[in-house]
Amino acid sequence: MCGRFVRKTTALEISDIFSGSLDTAELPISFNVAPTSPILGIINSTGGQSVVNFSWGLIPRWAPDATRAPSLINARIETVAEKPSFRDLIAEHRCILPMDGYFEWKEQLRHDAIKPIKQPYYFSARSQSRYSHKGVLAVAGLWTAWKDPNQSNAEVVYSAVALTTDANDMVSQIHHRMPVLLDPIGVSQWLDIHNVNPLAQIQVVDNDARVVCAVNTKVNNSRNNGSELIEPIDLTKTEAVGELRLF
């Protein structure tokens, strides 16, 4: 978790939702954001919260090149304080990664397939939940700045990683991990530069914080993009092994 997500809320709208300044150009809407794609992030800058632009997939500042970025899109909250790529970022390089929703996959047998397929599911905020920021999910993340040591005139690349935790009962029916979601208080605590122990304040997310639906397998190909990727599909005729209860 998670390898793809949706960004259909604009940078301007994100700045309004999270009461921050807009310090980046607008990014194209995407219903299939993949690793190394440009994404929006929220940081605590000198003048308050700011919406900025990151590349999704952390490039450690000491890395000789950017080849590890696609594999560093997620970091386990249980070990993030120990890993060399992340531990130095917790004190001052925390960020929020706003997502309209994200995808997870479960291998199961469908009525129209002769063998199990990777069935995608789309998770989004339940409107009544405190984890819904006007429909947007706030995912805890870390960021850093990197410059290619092999190029004297290289530009600085700002990259970010999303934090994950053990899945709650609802999510575990599909995947064993889930993003670290923050409510408004959690957002303030995570971005507070004076907060010396932010990891200890992360709370368990309620089962009813999100809604989930099965979606078309077109999302499995990162080249596909469009609102049809998050439209629910009917799996009631699926001859799946085991029954999946969607909360």
Side-chain angles (χ1 to χ4, degrees), residues 39-72:
I39 62 173
L40 298 176
I42 303 164
I43 63 172
N44 195 332
S45 59
T46 305
Q49 293 180 185
S50 300
V51 179
V52 297
N53 190 334
F54 290 122
S55 175
W56 188 27
L58 195 86
I59 309 173
R61 57 180 177 78
W62 40 262
D65 53 49
T67 56
R68 294 184 63 196
S71 64
L72 294 180

Side-chain angles (χ1 to χ4, degrees), residues 36-245:
T36 72
S37 298
I39 62 173
L40 298 176
I42 303 164
I43 63 172
N44 195 332
S45 59
T46 305
Q49 293 180 185
S50 300
V51 179
V52 297
N53 190 334
F54 290 122
S55 175
W56 188 27
L58 195 86
I59 309 173
R61 57 180 177 78
W62 40 262
D65 53 49
T67 56
R68 294 184 63 196
S71 64
L72 294 180
I73 58 172
N74 298 318
R76 297 172 64 93
I77 195 171
E78 298 89 348
T79 58
V80 70
E82 305 166 5
K83 301 292 185 180
S85 297
F86 313 123
R87 63 190 178 197
D88 294 338
L89 306 177
I90 298 173
E92 297 181 351
H93 281 216
R94 301 190 294 271
C95 65
I96 302 295
L97 303 181
M99 302 180 184
D100 288 276
Y102 65 92
F103 300 97
E104 286 295 356
W105 284 260
K106 182 180 178 69
E107 193 169 272
Q108 62 189 92
L109 185 64
R110 284 193 354 190
H111 74 283
D112 55 352
I114 61 175
K115 62 180 181 179
I117 64 170
K118 288 187 175 180
Q119 173 60 51
Y121 289 84
Y122 179 60
F123 291 84
S124 56
R126 187 182 297 276
S127 59
Q128 303 91 338
S129 169
R130 72 179 190 275
Y131 291 94
S132 174
H133 304 263
K134 295 186 178 180
V136 176
L137 295 170
V139 178
L142 300 171
W143 68 275
T144 192
W146 175 82
K147 190 174 183 179
D148 191 339
N150 302 307
Q151 298 183 26
S152 58
N153 60 343
E155 295 184 358
V156 176
V157 177
Y158 296 94
S159 61
V161 62
L163 299 188
T164 70
T165 187
D166 285 333
N168 60 17
D169 291 340
M170 179 266 209
V171 178
S172 64
Q173 296 176 83
I174 297 172
H175 199 272
H176 66 287
R177 302 291 293 177
M178 67 181 193
V180 174
L181 301 183
L182 302 173
D183 63 8
I185 294 177
V187 168
S188 297
Q189 291 175 335
W190 186 250
L191 292 181
D192 183 359
I193 59 176
H194 302 296
N195 187 354
V196 297
N197 196 14
L199 293 174
Q201 297 169 331
I202 300 297
Q203 297 183 358
V204 176
V205 177
D206 304 330
N207 282 325
D208 63 356
R210 282 154 293 189
V211 293
V212 58
C213 64
V215 292
N216 197 293
T217 54
K218 287 181 179 180
V219 74
N220 296 2
N221 188 331
S222 62
R223 292 190 295 271
N224 292 330
N225 207 320
S227 59
E228 70 276 6
L229 298 182
I230 62 173
E231 293 177 359
I233 63 173
D234 186 1
L235 292 182
T236 56
K237 297 181 180 180
T238 299
E239 299 172 5
V241 178
E243 182 176 333
L244 184 68
R245 177 193 170 202

